[in-house]
Amino acid sequence: MRRIVPALLMLALLMLMLAGCGERAADPVAAPQASPPPTSPPAASVSVPRRPSVTVSTDAGDEAGLNWTPPALVLTREQVRQARRDAAAAVRAGDLFEGPRDAIPLYLALLRLDPEDRLAQRGLARAASALLAQGERALAAAEDDSQALARAVRIAAVLRTVLPDDTRTQAYLARLDLAEQLARLNATGESQLRQGLLGEGDAPGALDSFRSALELAPGQSRARQGLAATESAFIRRAEDAARAGDFEGAARWMGFASQVRADAPTVKDAYARIEQERARQIAALRDAGVAELATPLGLKSAREKLAAALRIAAPGDPVVADLRQRIDLATHYGLFRPGQAFTDALAGGGRTPTMVVVPHGGFRMGADEDEPGATQAEQPAHYVRFDRGFAVSRHPVTVGEFRRFVQATGHRARATRRGHSMVYDERSGNFVRRSGVDWQSGYAGARVGDDMPVLHVSVRDAEAYADWLAEQTGHGYRLPSEAEFEYVLRAGTQGRYPWGNENPPPKGVANLAGGNDVSPSGRRWANAFVGYGDGWWGPAPVGTFRPNPWGLYDLGGNVSEWVTDCWHANFRRAPADGAAWFNPGCRARVVRGGAWASSPQQARAAWRSSQDSDVTSARVGFRVVRGI
């Protein structure tokens, strides 16, 4: 009988080893169903192993980590009772398999001593159930804890040994296999993230790894965190590109980020930050461009700033439009604006006459052949273009303004040196030469106030005044060219007269020879605008009549004015850029604009007259132009 028992024991051990070495089922695709709650299995389901080889994955590289060899422990029959007590205490303490005095090694040793030991079989079943519970807890923590996953693997090896055919073991192994796959995918994705392999486009990377994990376990927090980290990496690249001024690249990276998680608020916030960065860079370029415009040679640099802003701005960006407008204005007006009025300080004290910036542009200069009253001297009509604006004095230079010049320089005007000038004689109704008349005199020879337009000055006197302003201010003051004068006189209109084609003129438009005007002695004009009266016989104080559309006074009436040009009999070969047509040494100069004694023929916008450069009279004054 004693010989039969060892034989039976060896046979039982051999059967258990063969059962433990059986191949496991194929890996499940989806997460397995939850296992039933642990219960004590029937004693017959517990087998006694002998150095089994356990595999819970098809990956042969994992095999070494999934084998469990029970600790070597040999008991004598005298030790059985104490071993049972120790095993039960180990179960209660949760010490199940890792040491030789843990529960499962003790129960296995007892069963090797007596395979029919019912108490050991029941104890082994209780220990196995406790181990399964430990495995479930390890699996629950395995998502974020590699050590917990490793413990779950060790527990799986033990369970395959002690409960090889239990459905709970099979379900546990399936969950373990899923956990291992998720761990590998998540670890791969995290490694790819560290390497910067994000998975944009068709490139392999972290995005695919985390998505694969979520296909196996939808909602798994580690994979979701990995997706969020991948999204953040895309966003960082987008923001880095934006800070480098590469907004096309930023848009590309944000496109990848927006595909990671649908409607993620982080993506929306990142888009807002990138647009803020775009706005910041555009504003900085605008500010730098504006600063460049304040320097003498900054226009080229400002245009480069504009080009850089255009490269990163969305169409219609208002800040870019502002910079473009400022550059356009600087191109044509320097630091000024069309319509702007200003004065310059004189080095000796006081200010220049008020200057008004007129817009750049073009116009048709002269008279058409079919214009009533036109002469060949006003033809051919031709197009003149001003690529840059300029400033014109708001009204003719006054007696007071000229007085400051004379007092500052001691200049002796032509009429002063000569002792006479041409004035209007009330008794004869004609213009006559009268002694004692100079720039302080009015149209009839009497002294006038400082607000009257200065008369009785030659073109050389006018040029001397402009030169003095230039010296005092450091800016380019001069007489206007003939083209400039007609350009500002027309002020964007193209009629026969400065105000259009109306005859008589609108009321209050200019001081001209009107049929309703009466001299102090009751004289009337023989050739006048019928039905028109302006209330003045002789010049009026500057600015009495309403300004033209560009804010300039007295261009179409009050006094005629000297311009820079030498007289030419017609406009053939005249400059097309508005420059003065001047020949050094010429004596015949041009007078433009209607005056208080001008007939309808002389009040036309194209009218021009030739005067000797030394002539002074009661009808001709001047105004100045300044370059900007």
Side-chain angles (χ1 to χ4, degrees):
M1 182 67 181
R2 290 179 179 175
R3 293 178 180 177
I4 296 174
V5 171
L8 290 174
L9 178 61
M10 292 298 294
L11 179 60
L13 290 173
L14 179 61
M15 293 174 65
L16 180 60
M17 182 175 67
L18 290 173
C21 293
E23 293 185 2
R24 57 170 290 192
D27 294 340
V29 176
Q33 298 295 319
S35 64
T39 58
S40 298
S45 67
V46 179
S47 301
V48 181
R50 188 176 69 178
R51 307 182 70 84
S53 175
V54 180
T55 301
V56 294
S57 173
T58 57
D59 187 348
D62 292 339
E63 185 174 346
L66 296 174
N67 292 330
W68 182 68
T69 301
L73 177 63
V74 178
L75 297 176
T76 65
R77 290 199 177 275
E78 291 75 14
Q79 297 172 317
V80 167
R81 183 171 294 182
Q82 184 61 43
R84 285 173 178 162
R85 287 196 296 267
D86 291 347
V91 170
R92 290 192 298 273
D95 300 329
L96 301 179
F97 72 93
E98 293 183 288
R101 303 303 298 179
D102 289 343
I104 291 175
L106 283 171
Y107 284 126
L108 290 176
L110 287 169
L111 288 170
R112 282 195 299 271
L113 187 64
D114 181 3
E116 300 300 326
D117 186 340
R118 295 294 181 181
L119 292 177
Q121 291 175 354
R122 286 195 293 271
L124 181 60
R126 287 193 300 272
S129 294
L131 181 61
L132 186 62
Q134 286 188 3
E136 295 293 349
R137 289 194 295 272
L139 279 179
E143 179 178 322
D144 299 312
D145 187 346
S146 60
Q147 292 182 349
L149 180 61
R151 179 171 176 77
V153 172
R154 293 197 303 274
I155 290 172
V158 178
L159 288 172
R160 284 294 301 271
T161 301
V162 297
L163 295 177
D165 299 321
D166 194 293
T167 57
R168 294 175 300 161
T169 298
Q170 300 305 317
Y172 176 82
L173 293 176
R175 290 194 295 278
L176 175 63
D177 186 69
L178 176 62
E180 286 187 302
Q181 291 185 64
L182 292 174
R184 280 194 298 272
L185 288 169
N186 285 323
T188 299
E190 290 158 1
S191 174
Q192 290 167 325
L193 266 180
R194 290 190 294 271
Q195 299 175 62
L197 304 174
L198 305 185
E200 63 274 12
D202 296 329
L207 189 59
D208 289 336
S209 297
F210 293 127
R211 281 177 170 168
S212 297
L214 288 171
E215 288 177 3
L216 292 175
Q220 201 231 17
S221 61
R222 183 177 176 184
R224 291 177 62 186
Q225 291 170 0
L227 275 186
T230 306
E231 177 189 279
S232 296
F234 281 130
I235 289 173
R236 282 195 300 275
R237 292 191 181 183
E239 292 180 329
D240 289 344
R243 283 189 288 271
D246 179 12
F247 287 91
E248 289 185 1
R252 184 170 66 88
W253 289 116
M254 286 305 301
F256 294 133
S258 65
Q259 296 172 10
V260 176
R261 298 184 300 167
D263 301 323
T266 50
V267 173
K268 182 179 179 181
D269 292 343
Y271 271 118
R273 290 194 300 274
I274 287 172
E275 287 308 307
Q276 289 171 358
E277 177 63 18
R278 187 199 304 268
R280 186 196 67 79
Q281 292 187 26
I282 291 172
L285 287 167
R286 187 272 311 276
D287 293 344
V290 171
E292 292 290 351
L293 291 176
T295 64
L297 301 177
L299 192 57
K300 178 181 178 182
S301 181
R303 288 186 175 127
E304 291 171 352
K305 300 294 190 300
L306 174 62
L310 286 170
R311 282 194 294 271
I312 65 176
D317 186 282
V319 178
V320 175
D322 176 71
L323 178 57
R324 187 200 299 273
Q325 182 183 42
R326 288 172 181 266
I327 290 174
D328 288 343
L329 289 171
T331 301
H332 302 299
Y333 307 103
L335 299 179
F336 296 91
R337 298 292 179 270
Q340 180 178 346
F342 67 93
T343 62
D344 289 319
L346 300 172
R351 311 289 298 184
T352 64
T354 299
M355 308 297 293
V356 177
V357 178
V358 299
H360 77 291
F363 80 113
R364 187 172 173 82
M365 182 178 181
D368 290 324
E369 293 182 359
D370 59 351
E371 179 179 310
T375 67
Q376 290 185 352
E378 302 159 2
Q379 297 170 354
H382 57 288
Y383 189 78
V384 175
R385 171 118 191 131
F386 297 95
D387 289 329
R388 189 172 177 86
F390 54 93
V392 182
S393 55
R394 177 172 282 170
H395 49 66
V397 174
T398 66
V399 170
E401 289 164 344
F402 198 79
R403 186 189 311 282
R404 181 179 293 117
F405 157 64
V406 171
Q407 291 173 345
T409 64
H411 177 79
R412 286 176 56 79
R414 176 65 176 169
T416 302
R417 289 184 283 111
R418 190 168 50 191
H420 61 81
S421 184
M422 298 296 293
V423 299
Y424 174 76
D425 179 45
E426 179 69 25
R427 288 179 297 176
S428 64
N430 294 317
F431 284 89
V432 299
R433 189 172 73 180
R434 182 168 296 168
S435 298
V437 175
D438 65 5
W439 57 269
Q440 301 174 86
S441 306
Y443 79 104
R447 292 290 187 264
V448 293
D450 283 354
D451 62 345
M452 297 296 290
V454 67
L455 301 171
H456 308 293
V457 287
S458 70
V459 70
R460 302 189 194 281
D461 295 329
E463 289 171 335
Y465 175 81
D467 291 343
W468 175 69
L469 291 180
E471 178 186 350
Q472 287 283 299
T473 64
H475 298 295
Y477 281 88
R478 55 181 174 78
L479 295 186
S481 70
E482 185 177 4
E484 288 171 336
F485 189 94
E486 185 173 334
Y487 179 63
V488 297
L489 177 141
R490 291 186 181 274
T493 67
Q494 203 63 44
R496 184 185 182 196
Y497 299 104
W499 56 86
N501 292 314
E502 295 179 67
N503 187 353
K507 184 177 181 180
V509 73
N511 183 4
L512 298 162
N516 297 339
D517 293 332
V518 181
S519 76
S521 63
R523 293 185 178 276
R524 294 182 180 271
W525 298 111
N527 187 4
F529 285 102
V530 176
Y532 180 73
D534 51 52
W536 291 86
W537 190 278
V542 297
T544 297
F545 295 84
R546 66 182 184 221
N548 76 357
W550 289 350
L552 302 172
Y553 291 88
D554 301 338
L555 281 162
N558 211 26
V559 295
S560 298
E561 300 180 26
W562 291 109
V563 296
T564 299
D565 299 55
C566 296
W567 174 260
H568 293 83
N570 53 56
F571 286 139
R572 291 185 179 87
R573 298 184 300 278
D577 60 358
W581 196 1
F582 185 79
N583 308 109
C586 71
R587 289 193 59 83
R589 305 291 282 272
V590 178
V591 169
R592 294 297 303 257
W596 58 275
S598 291
S599 66
Q601 166 78 6
Q602 297 166 333
R604 291 178 304 107
W607 177 82
R608 56 198 297 260
S609 174
S610 171
Q611 295 286 334
D612 187 276
S613 57
D614 286 335
V615 163
T616 63
S617 79
R619 297 179 58 170
V620 181
F622 71 97
R623 73 179 68 215
V624 290
V625 161
R626 176 195 187 281
I628 56 175

